[in-house]
Amino acid sequence: MTTHTLPGHPHFAYRDKDLFAEGLRLSELASIHGTPLFVYSKAAMLSALAAYQRGFAGRQAQICYAMKANSSLGVLQVFAQAGCGFDIVSGGELERVLAAGGEAGKVIFSGVGKTRAEMRQALLAGIGCFNVESEAELDVLSDVALSMKLRAPVSIRVNPNVDPKTHPYISTGLKGNKFGVAHEDALRIYQHAASLKGLQVVGIDCHIGSQITDTTPYLDAMDRVLDLVDAIEAAGIALEHIDFGGGLGINYNNDAPPEADALWQLLLAKLDARGYGAKKLMIEPGRSLVGNAGVCLTEVLYVKPGEQKNFCIIDAAMNDLPRPAMYQAFHAIVPLTQAAAVATASTYDVVGPVCESGDWIGRDRDLSVAAGDQLAVLSAGAYCMSMSSNYNSRGRAAEVLVDGDKAHLIRRRETLQDQIRQEQLPAV
Ligand SMILES: *Cc1c(COP(=O)(O)O)cnc(C)c1O
């Protein structure tokens, strides 16, 4: 038997002609559970987490999985059992953490638009920290906490404004986006926070963007944040923790992001050099923990040759895999069973059944396919199921978590009954 691991996907490999997730043949999972089907490898998630854990060995550090990347309960349980905290962005995500056995005390609550009801819910649960994104939010949170005779633990998300000219990637840490507070306003806003009776200042945080594949922006952002820590502590406001956000990229298409442990070796050296090595550290990785731990299995419905383009029409669509339509993102697409050596490949646009021209999954792909063949859309663990929809009244896909040679169905396929449960016809 020859084994050939998929690039960037530990624990997914071809054994001879068949693609496996850990000990299980994916074509068998597809016939048992149907397609489209998300399949996640528990070992792949834990090995992504282990890179961060190695990076922080010997430090006081808390890894908070940014669960919007994939908020399925079975996925959350893997990280909760491994000791992770969670970075949430809504009251619904808090409910999911608790339902999956996560600890409220290890939850941090990010997002620009927290409602009073969500603040009350999070205070009642006893979350670890609110990552506050504006001055107005500080005032409201203090009010809500005082009305409950509590003090809310807060960190303020600062915008390091890392220069986009040197780092032209999708960014959230720049002036002119909705997140965080400006670097030059941060000290004043910290002083305001410290004056509010309903708040307890505990930390500082930043999050500069997503799918970052270079170390430089992280190092630059760390310098900018530590400059603020200097100033805030000099003003007499003690900070217990520093939270450096998430954003580390994964290999979608020959991308070469640093390993989490290598990145943190560089960052910790800077932190030590600036005298903050003993502070409690927090991070909020999402994509890098789950993205390449998941694939989406799909079946070819039709092959449609054309004058200008050939189309490979599959049973997964933009409602299952929204990233290509939303961000023109790339997902590799591979067969579950490799064709014979002399196969004749053609170039296809791989598209779904949804009635939108934007419903494409891959463009100009060389594939050797026929109707009934099964494919895997790779790097589908992050920002796929959690962004899925019922557009075109398509039910959400099922999800399977593979652990060694065991498959756990963690979400059954959505039925039409599931979809229309909240709807009612007006009485006539
Ligand atoms: C989305 C998000 C993350 C995670 O980003 P990834 O790119 O998935 O690592 C972390 N922190 C905040 C505040 C976020 O909004």
Side-chain angles (χ1 to χ4, degrees), residues 375-398:
L375 303 172
V377 179
L378 304 187
S379 307
Y383 302 108
C384 293
M385 178 52 91
S386 61
M387 292 179 116
S388 66
S389 77
N390 289 127
Y391 190 40
N392 281 210
S393 292
R394 290 168 53 86
R396 282 184 179 74

PDB file of all heavy atoms in Angstrom, residues 375-398:
ATOM      1  N   LEU A 375     -16.283  13.662  -4.951  1.00  0.00           N
ATOM      2  CA  LEU A 375     -15.149  14.573  -4.797  1.00  0.00           C
ATOM      3  C   LEU A 375     -15.095  15.053  -3.350  1.00  0.00           C
ATOM      4  O   LEU A 375     -16.099  15.009  -2.631  1.00  0.00           O
ATOM      5  CB  LEU A 375     -15.317  15.791  -5.710  1.00  0.00           C
ATOM      6  CG  LEU A 375     -15.474  15.520  -7.214  1.00  0.00           C
ATOM      7  CD1 LEU A 375     -15.829  16.814  -7.946  1.00  0.00           C
ATOM      8  CD2 LEU A 375     -14.173  14.929  -7.777  1.00  0.00           C
ATOM      9  N   ALA A 376     -13.915  15.541  -2.960  1.00  0.00           N
ATOM     10  CA  ALA A 376     -13.776  16.211  -1.669  1.00  0.00           C
ATOM     11  C   ALA A 376     -13.347  17.647  -1.921  1.00  0.00           C
ATOM     12  O   ALA A 376     -12.391  17.892  -2.651  1.00  0.00           O
ATOM     13  CB  ALA A 376     -12.735  15.501  -0.796  1.00  0.00           C
ATOM     14  N   VAL A 377     -14.081  18.597  -1.331  1.00  0.00           N
ATOM     15  CA  VAL A 377     -13.674  19.996  -1.335  1.00  0.00           C
ATOM     16  C   VAL A 377     -12.846  20.176  -0.066  1.00  0.00           C
ATOM     17  O   VAL A 377     -13.345  19.928   1.036  1.00  0.00           O
ATOM     18  CB  VAL A 377     -14.895  20.929  -1.350  1.00  0.00           C
ATOM     19  CG1 VAL A 377     -14.458  22.385  -1.322  1.00  0.00           C
ATOM     20  CG2 VAL A 377     -15.771  20.634  -2.571  1.00  0.00           C
ATOM     21  N   LEU A 378     -11.578  20.572  -0.248  1.00  0.00           N
ATOM     22  CA  LEU A 378     -10.654  20.574   0.892  1.00  0.00           C
ATOM     23  C   LEU A 378     -10.738  21.877   1.685  1.00  0.00           C
ATOM     24  O   LEU A 378     -11.400  22.831   1.276  1.00  0.00           O
ATOM     25  CB  LEU A 378      -9.219  20.331   0.402  1.00  0.00           C
ATOM     26  CG  LEU A 378      -8.992  19.049  -0.421  1.00  0.00           C
ATOM     27  CD1 LEU A 378      -7.499  18.859  -0.697  1.00  0.00           C
ATOM     28  CD2 LEU A 378      -9.573  17.820   0.275  1.00  0.00           C
ATOM     29  N   SER A 379     -10.040  21.895   2.806  1.00  0.00           N
ATOM     30  CA  SER A 379      -9.958  23.089   3.676  1.00  0.00           C
ATOM     31  C   SER A 379     -11.353  23.609   4.011  1.00  0.00           C
ATOM     32  O   SER A 379     -11.600  24.816   3.989  1.00  0.00           O
ATOM     33  CB  SER A 379      -9.147  24.207   3.002  1.00  0.00           C
ATOM     34  OG  SER A 379      -7.891  23.744   2.586  1.00  0.00           O
ATOM     35  N   ALA A 380     -12.266  22.695   4.323  1.00  0.00           N
ATOM     36  CA  ALA A 380     -13.667  23.079   4.515  1.00  0.00           C
ATOM     37  C   ALA A 380     -14.085  23.037   5.983  1.00  0.00           C
ATOM     38  O   ALA A 380     -15.275  23.046   6.295  1.00  0.00           O
ATOM     39  CB  ALA A 380     -14.571  22.184   3.678  1.00  0.00           C
ATOM     40  N   GLY A 381     -13.092  23.021   6.900  1.00  0.00           N
ATOM     41  CA  GLY A 381     -13.440  22.954   8.318  1.00  0.00           C
ATOM     42  C   GLY A 381     -13.815  24.297   8.918  1.00  0.00           C
ATOM     43  O   GLY A 381     -14.484  24.356   9.951  1.00  0.00           O
ATOM     44  N   ALA A 382     -13.358  25.402   8.294  1.00  0.00           N
ATOM     45  CA  ALA A 382     -13.586  26.728   8.874  1.00  0.00           C
ATOM     46  C   ALA A 382     -14.414  27.586   7.937  1.00  0.00           C
ATOM     47  O   ALA A 382     -14.174  27.600   6.719  1.00  0.00           O
ATOM     48  CB  ALA A 382     -12.255  27.434   9.148  1.00  0.00           C
ATOM     49  N   TYR A 383     -15.352  28.330   8.502  1.00  0.00           N
ATOM     50  CA  TYR A 383     -16.156  29.291   7.754  1.00  0.00           C
ATOM     51  C   TYR A 383     -16.897  28.642   6.592  1.00  0.00           C
ATOM     52  O   TYR A 383     -17.049  29.235   5.534  1.00  0.00           O
ATOM     53  CB  TYR A 383     -15.292  30.476   7.288  1.00  0.00           C
ATOM     54  CG  TYR A 383     -14.618  31.180   8.454  1.00  0.00           C
ATOM     55  CD1 TYR A 383     -13.243  31.067   8.681  1.00  0.00           C
ATOM     56  CD2 TYR A 383     -15.372  31.925   9.352  1.00  0.00           C
ATOM     57  CE1 TYR A 383     -12.640  31.682   9.773  1.00  0.00           C
ATOM     58  CE2 TYR A 383     -14.773  32.536  10.444  1.00  0.00           C
ATOM     59  CZ  TYR A 383     -13.417  32.419  10.648  1.00  0.00           C
ATOM     60  OH  TYR A 383     -12.823  33.021  11.729  1.00  0.00           O
ATOM     61  N   CYS A 384     -17.326  27.399   6.765  1.00  0.00           N
ATOM     62  CA  CYS A 384     -18.192  26.760   5.774  1.00  0.00           C
ATOM     63  C   CYS A 384     -19.515  26.439   6.465  1.00  0.00           C
ATOM     64  O   CYS A 384     -20.472  27.186   6.324  1.00  0.00           O
ATOM     65  CB  CYS A 384     -17.516  25.528   5.178  1.00  0.00           C
ATOM     66  SG  CYS A 384     -16.078  25.959   4.175  1.00  0.00           S
ATOM     67  N   MET A 385     -19.572  25.342   7.263  1.00  0.00           N
ATOM     68  CA  MET A 385     -20.831  25.028   7.929  1.00  0.00           C
ATOM     69  C   MET A 385     -21.345  26.195   8.763  1.00  0.00           C
ATOM     70  O   MET A 385     -22.546  26.475   8.786  1.00  0.00           O
ATOM     71  CB  MET A 385     -20.674  23.775   8.799  1.00  0.00           C
ATOM     72  CG  MET A 385     -21.933  23.395   9.566  1.00  0.00           C
ATOM     73  SD  MET A 385     -23.445  23.263   8.565  1.00  0.00           S
ATOM     74  CE  MET A 385     -23.406  21.526   8.130  1.00  0.00           C
ATOM     75  N   SER A 386     -20.431  26.926   9.429  1.00  0.00           N
ATOM     76  CA  SER A 386     -20.900  28.019  10.292  1.00  0.00           C
ATOM     77  C   SER A 386     -21.462  29.187   9.484  1.00  0.00           C
ATOM     78  O   SER A 386     -22.155  30.041  10.031  1.00  0.00           O
ATOM     79  CB  SER A 386     -19.775  28.491  11.216  1.00  0.00           C
ATOM     80  OG  SER A 386     -18.679  28.988  10.474  1.00  0.00           O
ATOM     81  N   MET A 387     -21.173  29.256   8.189  1.00  0.00           N
ATOM     82  CA  MET A 387     -21.733  30.306   7.330  1.00  0.00           C
ATOM     83  C   MET A 387     -22.799  29.749   6.397  1.00  0.00           C
ATOM     84  O   MET A 387     -23.258  30.458   5.505  1.00  0.00           O
ATOM     85  CB  MET A 387     -20.619  30.918   6.463  1.00  0.00           C
ATOM     86  CG  MET A 387     -19.588  31.701   7.214  1.00  0.00           C
ATOM     87  SD  MET A 387     -18.338  32.306   6.043  1.00  0.00           S
ATOM     88  CE  MET A 387     -18.591  34.040   6.201  1.00  0.00           C
ATOM     89  N   SER A 388     -23.194  28.505   6.583  1.00  0.00           N
ATOM     90  CA  SER A 388     -24.115  27.881   5.626  1.00  0.00           C
ATOM     91  C   SER A 388     -25.512  28.469   5.779  1.00  0.00           C
ATOM     92  O   SER A 388     -25.841  29.086   6.787  1.00  0.00           O
ATOM     93  CB  SER A 388     -24.144  26.371   5.846  1.00  0.00           C
ATOM     94  OG  SER A 388     -24.712  26.084   7.111  1.00  0.00           O
ATOM     95  N   SER A 389     -26.340  28.272   4.767  1.00  0.00           N
ATOM     96  CA  SER A 389     -27.693  28.831   4.783  1.00  0.00           C
ATOM     97  C   SER A 389     -28.660  27.835   4.141  1.00  0.00           C
ATOM     98  O   SER A 389     -28.254  26.763   3.685  1.00  0.00           O
ATOM     99  CB  SER A 389     -27.731  30.146   4.015  1.00  0.00           C
ATOM    100  OG  SER A 389     -27.738  29.889   2.621  1.00  0.00           O
ATOM    101  N   ASN A 390     -29.920  28.223   4.136  1.00  0.00           N
ATOM    102  CA  ASN A 390     -30.951  27.406   3.498  1.00  0.00           C
ATOM    103  C   ASN A 390     -31.359  27.960   2.143  1.00  0.00           C
ATOM    104  O   ASN A 390     -32.429  27.632   1.629  1.00  0.00           O
ATOM    105  CB  ASN A 390     -32.203  27.332   4.381  1.00  0.00           C
ATOM    106  CG  ASN A 390     -31.994  26.500   5.615  1.00  0.00           C
ATOM    107  OD1 ASN A 390     -32.259  26.970   6.729  1.00  0.00           O
ATOM    108  ND2 ASN A 390     -31.523  25.288   5.447  1.00  0.00           N
ATOM    109  N   TYR A 391     -30.518  28.815   1.564  1.00  0.00           N
ATOM    110  CA  TYR A 391     -30.874  29.435   0.289  1.00  0.00           C
ATOM    111  C   TYR A 391     -31.291  28.368  -0.720  1.00  0.00           C
ATOM    112  O   TYR A 391     -30.679  27.301  -0.802  1.00  0.00           O
ATOM    113  CB  TYR A 391     -29.680  30.238  -0.231  1.00  0.00           C
ATOM    114  CG  TYR A 391     -30.022  31.110  -1.422  1.00  0.00           C
ATOM    115  CD1 TYR A 391     -31.222  31.798  -1.490  1.00  0.00           C
ATOM    116  CD2 TYR A 391     -29.136  31.239  -2.480  1.00  0.00           C
ATOM    117  CE1 TYR A 391     -31.531  32.599  -2.578  1.00  0.00           C
ATOM    118  CE2 TYR A 391     -29.431  32.028  -3.570  1.00  0.00           C
ATOM    119  CZ  TYR A 391     -30.634  32.708  -3.612  1.00  0.00           C
ATOM    120  OH  TYR A 391     -30.932  33.490  -4.705  1.00  0.00           O
ATOM    121  N   ASN A 392     -32.329  28.685  -1.460  1.00  0.00           N
ATOM    122  CA  ASN A 392     -32.964  27.753  -2.406  1.00  0.00           C
ATOM    123  C   ASN A 392     -33.669  26.603  -1.675  1.00  0.00           C
ATOM    124  O   ASN A 392     -33.913  25.549  -2.249  1.00  0.00           O
ATOM    125  CB  ASN A 392     -31.969  27.187  -3.426  1.00  0.00           C
ATOM    126  CG  ASN A 392     -31.650  28.151  -4.578  1.00  0.00           C
ATOM    127  OD1 ASN A 392     -31.358  27.721  -5.681  1.00  0.00           O
ATOM    128  ND2 ASN A 392     -31.684  29.441  -4.348  1.00  0.00           N
ATOM    129  N   SER A 393     -33.981  26.830  -0.378  1.00  0.00           N
ATOM    130  CA  SER A 393     -34.606  25.788   0.464  1.00  0.00           C
ATOM    131  C   SER A 393     -33.819  24.487   0.459  1.00  0.00           C
ATOM    132  O   SER A 393     -34.380  23.393   0.488  1.00  0.00           O
ATOM    133  CB  SER A 393     -36.069  25.537   0.062  1.00  0.00           C
ATOM    134  OG  SER A 393     -36.825  26.676   0.375  1.00  0.00           O
ATOM    135  N   ARG A 394     -32.511  24.652   0.451  1.00  0.00           N
ATOM    136  CA  ARG A 394     -31.639  23.479   0.559  1.00  0.00           C
ATOM    137  C   ARG A 394     -31.362  23.224   2.040  1.00  0.00           C
ATOM    138  O   ARG A 394     -31.038  24.137   2.785  1.00  0.00           O
ATOM    139  CB  ARG A 394     -30.322  23.737  -0.192  1.00  0.00           C
ATOM    140  CG  ARG A 394     -30.491  23.769  -1.714  1.00  0.00           C
ATOM    141  CD  ARG A 394     -29.255  24.315  -2.404  1.00  0.00           C
ATOM    142  NE  ARG A 394     -28.033  23.635  -2.006  1.00  0.00           N
ATOM    143  CZ  ARG A 394     -27.575  22.511  -2.571  1.00  0.00           C
ATOM    144  NH1 ARG A 394     -28.219  21.961  -3.580  1.00  0.00           N
ATOM    145  NH2 ARG A 394     -26.460  21.947  -2.151  1.00  0.00           N
ATOM    146  N   GLY A 395     -31.516  21.998   2.469  1.00  0.00           N
ATOM    147  CA  GLY A 395     -31.217  21.652   3.859  1.00  0.00           C
ATOM    148  C   GLY A 395     -29.717  21.693   4.095  1.00  0.00           C
ATOM    149  O   GLY A 395     -28.927  21.446   3.180  1.00  0.00           O
ATOM    150  N   ARG A 396     -29.329  22.034   5.328  1.00  0.00           N
ATOM    151  CA  ARG A 396     -27.895  22.013   5.623  1.00  0.00           C
ATOM    152  C   ARG A 396     -27.364  20.582   5.590  1.00  0.00           C
ATOM    153  O   ARG A 396     -28.084  19.628   5.910  1.00  0.00           O
ATOM    154  CB  ARG A 396     -27.625  22.628   6.993  1.00  0.00           C
ATOM    155  CG  ARG A 396     -27.670  24.136   6.984  1.00  0.00           C
ATOM    156  CD  ARG A 396     -27.295  24.684   8.351  1.00  0.00           C
ATOM    157  NE  ARG A 396     -27.309  26.132   8.358  1.00  0.00           N
ATOM    158  CZ  ARG A 396     -28.413  26.876   8.361  1.00  0.00           C
ATOM    159  NH1 ARG A 396     -29.599  26.291   8.353  1.00  0.00           N
ATOM    160  NH2 ARG A 396     -28.329  28.189   8.368  1.00  0.00           N
ATOM    161  N   ALA A 397     -26.092  20.467   5.236  1.00  0.00           N
ATOM    162  CA  ALA A 397     -25.431  19.163   5.120  1.00  0.00           C
ATOM    163  C   ALA A 397     -25.312  18.491   6.485  1.00  0.00           C
ATOM    164  O   ALA A 397     -25.474  19.129   7.528  1.00  0.00           O
ATOM    165  CB  ALA A 397     -24.036  19.361   4.522  1.00  0.00           C
ATOM    166  N   ALA A 398     -25.022  17.207   6.468  1.00  0.00           N
ATOM    167  CA  ALA A 398     -24.706  16.478   7.698  1.00  0.00           C
ATOM    168  C   ALA A 398     -23.213  16.646   8.000  1.00  0.00           C
ATOM    169  O   ALA A 398     -22.433  17.033   7.124  1.00  0.00           O
ATOM    170  CB  ALA A 398     -25.052  15.009   7.535  1.00  0.00           C
TER     171      ALA A 398
END
